[in-house]
Amino acid sequence: MGRTVMIFAAGSRGDVQPCLALGKALTRRGDAVRLLASTRYRHLNDATGVDFHPLSVDPADIIGSAQGQELLASRSNPAAFIRSISRILRPRIGQILEQTRAAAEGADLVLAPTFGFLGVHLSQYLRVPHAIIHFQPSQPTGMFPHPMAPAARLLGALGNRLSFDAVDVGSWLMCRPFINSWRLEHLGLPPMSSLAPFRQIRRAPVLCAFSPTIVPRPPDWGPNVHVTGFWHHDQPLWKPPQRLLAFLAGGPPPVYVGFGSMKPSDLEATDHLVRAALRHAGLRGVLAGDPATSEDDFLVVSDTAHDWLFPRMAAVVHHGGAGTTASALRAGVPSLVCPFFGDQAYWAARVRRLGAGPQPLPFRQFTIPALAQRLRELTQDPGYAEVSRRLGRAMRTEGGVAHACEVLNQLR
């Protein structure tokens, strides 16, 4: 008998698309799936069978705000990042929590990321099982530090392991006042102490929606942690516009440049820099932005299906979000990662370590000469293309969604 499954996907497109892929697969297996995500991504839900529940908070709007720019400025400082997130969410958290509760009513299974331990609270409220979704390696291990706390590597295996606890404790302490009020007033549950959630999340099933080819499973992860492979979302109703087809046919494969939900403070200056660097490197480009600003050698596109576009590119330049990184690697093309903040530096380092792209170029270090030099290296070194093709072939055989469905099938 089918279940009602609620999936919390309150993030950027890179969070929403994998959850839609999982929701579509669960629906085909007979479950009724509700996805809670920003209204901005409703159009991605075509032909999935998933019940889309809109979330009024939009991460793209947050990043574009003054507070969001402060968040970007905090870069890899976990404490500053947590403080910035707290200030941004404070006026919105009540609405987020109530929309989450409404979407979860009557669910038989709850899937949510670690943030705020929402899965724990909803599981207690509904008296149903829950599983945790990780889009980046967020389970304690001695092999490497939390992606948000790379400096912990200097303290060895113990520092690595403690970095995960530190990030989780910090995020819980940030959310605890709001969450405990919500538990009391809306869920009818007692408040939780500073450490209470950890006893549950360390035992709960964890679905790691990333590739074991890209992040090999650490040997000290327990049997509750499942590295499933990337959850790839097809967009069968998306069709490439004629102008894109004509541009691709009109010359050598271009380089895609786009930074997803990251919004530079000066969009015009960034656009000028990117175009100048591509010209210096002698490359054509497909750029994310306003299509009206296209030129002979630069086609500017708005919403474009990465699974269709990326395999047709010579290379991809992006911000290092988990979803975009996975899509580029799965497409089998090399990447230059230009991280802004958060876990993006981690994915940039993985791409470099695997040999699928050159040394990352953090966005704060952007100059025309620096970007042009990286672009030449990215497109002229055949080693990057060879490694990327090999990684892409491996990722396309992993069956991450099917693996995740099998794990969830056991939670009945």
Side-chain angles (χ1 to χ4, degrees):
M1 183 177 177
R3 304 164 295 181
T4 298
V5 181
M6 183 269 199
I7 306 177
F8 182 85
S12 66
R13 181 174 183 150
D15 303 295
V16 175
Q17 288 196 153
C19 289
L20 277 171
L22 178 62
K24 181 178 180 179
L26 291 171
T27 299
R28 287 178 172 173
R29 292 179 177 227
D31 292 329
V33 178
R34 302 173 191 161
L35 183 85
L36 181 64
S38 169
T39 306
R40 175 186 293 259
Y41 303 112
R42 184 190 289 274
H43 70 284
L44 299 175
N45 196 37
D46 289 338
T48 65
V50 172
D51 182 13
F52 191 95
H53 285 241
L55 186 68
S56 57
V57 176
D58 190 331
D61 290 342
I62 291 174
I63 291 297
S65 68
Q67 289 176 310
Q69 292 301 307
E70 181 184 347
L71 178 63
L72 295 181
S74 69
R75 296 196 280 269
S76 58
N77 183 331
F81 178 82
I82 289 172
R83 286 195 300 270
S84 296
I85 283 282
S86 179
R87 283 194 295 271
I88 290 171
L89 290 181
R90 190 173 293 119
R92 303 172 170 92
I93 194 70
Q95 190 175 27
I96 293 172
L97 293 176
E98 267 310 281
Q99 289 173 342
T100 301
R101 182 197 58 77
E105 287 290 353
D108 304 303
L109 174 64
V110 173
L111 309 179
T114 308
F115 181 78
F117 309 110
L118 287 178
V120 172
H121 313 300
L122 293 172
S123 175
Q124 291 181 352
Y125 171 61
L126 298 170
R127 299 183 181 181
V128 299
H130 79 285
I132 299 168
I133 299 172
H134 285 167
F135 295 109
Q136 60 279 323
S138 303
Q139 191 73 10
T141 175
M143 300 298 293
F144 49 78
H146 192 287
M148 291 290 297
R153 187 185 305 277
L154 301 175
L155 301 177
L158 179 60
N160 288 341
R161 178 170 286 277
L162 290 176
S163 70
F164 292 87
D165 291 331
V167 170
D168 283 345
V169 168
S171 64
W172 168 237
L173 292 179
M174 173 190 77
C175 295
R176 186 181 170 221
F178 317 123
I179 296 287
N180 274 342
S181 295
W182 179 57
R183 286 174 62 91
L184 278 169
E185 297 169 14
H186 297 277
L187 304 187
L189 297 172
M192 290 188 114
S193 69
S194 299
L195 299 179
F198 296 92
R199 290 192 293 271
Q200 298 190 45
I201 67 163
R202 295 299 183 236
R203 296 193 303 263
V206 176
L207 299 175
C208 298
F210 46 80
S211 168
T213 300
I214 309 306
V215 183
R217 177 191 172 90
D220 54 352
W221 278 357
N224 63 312
V225 183
H226 308 271
V227 183
T228 65
F230 178 56
W231 303 346
H232 178 69
H233 174 61
D234 292 309
Q235 292 179 253
L237 301 183
W238 188 86
K239 301 297 181 186
Q242 187 58 42
R243 61 193 294 270
L244 175 55
L245 294 173
F247 182 79
L248 295 178
V255 172
Y256 173 84
V257 183
F259 304 116
S261 57
M262 300 296 100
K263 302 297 182 186
S265 56
D266 192 334
L267 287 171
E268 186 175 344
T270 300
D271 181 67
H272 170 77
L273 188 156
V274 166
R275 296 185 193 215
L278 285 165
R279 288 192 183 99
H280 277 275
L283 297 166
R284 302 199 311 151
V286 172
L287 314 179
D290 180 2
T293 63
S294 296
E295 302 178 64
D296 288 347
D297 289 330
F298 304 120
L299 181 73
V300 185
V301 297
S302 52
D303 184 55
T304 307
H306 289 172
D307 62 305
W308 186 94
L309 183 66
F310 285 2
R312 293 166 170 82
M313 299 293 101
V316 175
V317 178
H318 60 91
H319 59 298
T324 308
T325 302
S327 293
L329 290 170
R330 189 177 185 275
V333 295
S335 295
L336 169 63
V337 184
C338 305
F340 286 65
F341 79 110
D343 65 330
Q344 296 164 11
Y346 170 82
W347 292 115
R350 289 306 301 155
V351 168
R352 173 59 173 162
R353 180 72 179 269
L354 290 164
Q359 184 72 22
L361 179 63
F363 182 77
R364 66 183 182 276
Q365 297 176 12
F366 255 38
T367 64
I368 293 173
L371 181 55
Q373 176 57 37
R374 291 290 207 289
L375 287 168
R376 284 190 286 267
E377 185 180 351
L378 176 70
T379 55
Q380 295 174 10
D381 188 332
Y384 298 141
E386 181 181 348
V387 169
S388 298
R389 284 192 293 269
R390 175 175 54 80
L391 293 173
R393 285 193 298 269
M395 290 180 68
R396 290 191 294 271
T397 64
E398 287 173 351
V401 167
H403 187 177
C405 287
E406 290 303 318
V407 172
L408 295 177
N409 193 48
Q410 300 170 22
L411 303 181
R412 293 183 179 271

